[in-house]
């Protein structure tokens, strides 16, 4: 997958070149093309913004440098603007995007976009109901969530499939050595060696975590007969606590 990012601050993207994503870049599993759209200005001061028509506080990003930067790309794939008014990004969006060959993100900074810039993009996406100073951090979050789903990025390829959100349940609790830490013991079943029992326990505990922390996710999911039974047990157990 190739990812282009149009930004005024290409240096902010160092985290994507670190750790697992960085190794993926080195191995050619994905490519990152950072484009500073200030390089596409034609005025002597390299302005990318101007005062808003109609007056008011703040500055507005101009369309021209962004359009020229987009046009300079040999190909763009899906073009995404990050802004608080967009559809909310989630794991499903990451899964959709992970199927694309190419993505192009447009990051604003400090100020709003000229409305016509939105028409250059296929979609506008937000990372949540809060306002950041720029699109760089949202873009990095979305790239991380998307690229880690690509083949060969995570060391253990099973881990992307098994974890939170991928099948509509939160993750079950995990433990590692020591089996007893200051009296806090690892559940016996996990040390039992009985794989069938361990799988059942994990399924039930994933259901419990979701019931306790994100009940909205259960409403959005169809439960199997076995899960309905487990959920009834969980409700009874939790009511007793
Ligand atoms: N830019 C500023 N705030 C943002 C948000 N919440 N999501 C995406 N882009 C943004």
């Amino acid at each position: 997958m190739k990812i282009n990012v149009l930004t005024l601050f290409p240096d902010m993207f160092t985290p994507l070149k670190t750790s697992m994503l960085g190794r993926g870049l080195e191995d050619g599993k994905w490519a990152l093309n950072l484009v500073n759209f200030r390089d596409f200005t034609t005025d002597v001061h390299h302005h990318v913004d101007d005062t808003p028509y109609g007056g008011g506080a703040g500055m507005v990003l101009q369309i021209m440098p962004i359009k020229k930067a987009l046009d300079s790309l040999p190909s763009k794939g899906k073009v995404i603007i990050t802004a608080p008014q967009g559809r909310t990004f989630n794991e499903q969006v990451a899964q959709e995007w992970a199927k694309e060959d190419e993505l192009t993100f447009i990051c604003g900074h400090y100020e709003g976009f000229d409305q016509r810039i939105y028409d250059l993009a296929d979609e506008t996406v937000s990372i949540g109901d809060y306002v950041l100073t720029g699109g760089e951090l949202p873009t990095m979050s979305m790239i991380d969530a998307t690229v880690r789903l690509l083949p060969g990025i995570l060391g253990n390829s099973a881990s992307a499939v098994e974890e939170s959100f991928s099948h509509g349940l939160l993750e079950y609790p995990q433990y590692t050595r020591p089996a007893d830490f200051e009296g806090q013991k690892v559940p016996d079943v996990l040390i039992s060696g009985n794989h069938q029992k361990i799988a059942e326990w994990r399924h039930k505990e994933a259901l419990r975590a979701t019931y306790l922390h994100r009940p909205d996710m259960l409403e959005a999911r169809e439960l199997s007969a076995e899960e309905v039974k487990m959920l009834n047990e969980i409700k009874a157990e939790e009511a007793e606590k």
Side-chain angles (χ1 to χ4, degrees), residues 64-118:
M64 195 275 287
I66 290 178
K67 175 71 165 63
K68 282 197 169 163
L70 271 182
D71 288 347
S72 77
L73 300 172
S75 57
K76 295 184 268 294
K78 187 189 275 292
V79 180
I80 300 145
I81 290 191
T82 60
Q85 74 268 34
R87 80 158 156 153
T88 309
F89 183 79
N90 61 21
E91 188 67 22
Q92 249 172 319
V93 179
Q95 283 167 5
E96 272 172 43
W97 289 355
K99 294 182 194 136
E100 302 281 338
D101 294 328
E102 187 165 7
L103 299 172
T104 297
F105 290 89
I106 303 176
C107 305
H109 211 90
Y110 308 132
E111 47 224 324
F113 292 103
D114 182 306
Q115 188 59 34
R116 293 164 292 189
I117 296 172
Y118 290 105

Side-chain angles (χ1 to χ4, degrees), residues 19-106:
S19 183
M20 289 184 162
L21 298 193
R23 210 166 315 128
L25 274 179
E26 280 168 21
D27 295 346
K29 302 270 194 276
W30 71 293
L32 180 64
N33 176 32
L34 299 170
V35 179
N36 189 338
F37 56 87
R38 197 181 292 284
D39 296 343
F40 293 83
T41 50
T42 46
D43 66 305
V44 56
H45 297 295
H46 302 291
H47 283 135
V48 290
D49 54 6
D50 208 335
T51 52
Y53 278 119
M59 300 288 274
V60 177
L61 280 175
Q62 294 175 288
I63 189 169
M64 195 275 287
I66 290 178
K67 175 71 165 63
K68 282 197 169 163
L70 271 182
D71 288 347
S72 77
L73 300 172
S75 57
K76 295 184 268 294
K78 187 189 275 292
V79 180
I80 300 145
I81 290 191
T82 60
Q85 74 268 34
R87 80 158 156 153
T88 309
F89 183 79
N90 61 21
E91 188 67 22
Q92 249 172 319
V93 179
Q95 283 167 5
E96 272 172 43
W97 289 355
K99 294 182 194 136
E100 302 281 338
D101 294 328
E102 187 165 7
L103 299 172
T104 297
F105 290 89
I106 303 176

Side-chain angles (χ1 to χ4, degrees), residues 81-86 108 113 125-139 142:
I81 290 191
T82 60
Q85 74 268 34
F113 292 103
V125 183
S126 166
I127 55 166
D129 289 344
Y130 45 91
V131 180
L132 300 171
T133 54
E136 282 78 10
L137 289 170
T139 296
M142 294 190 240

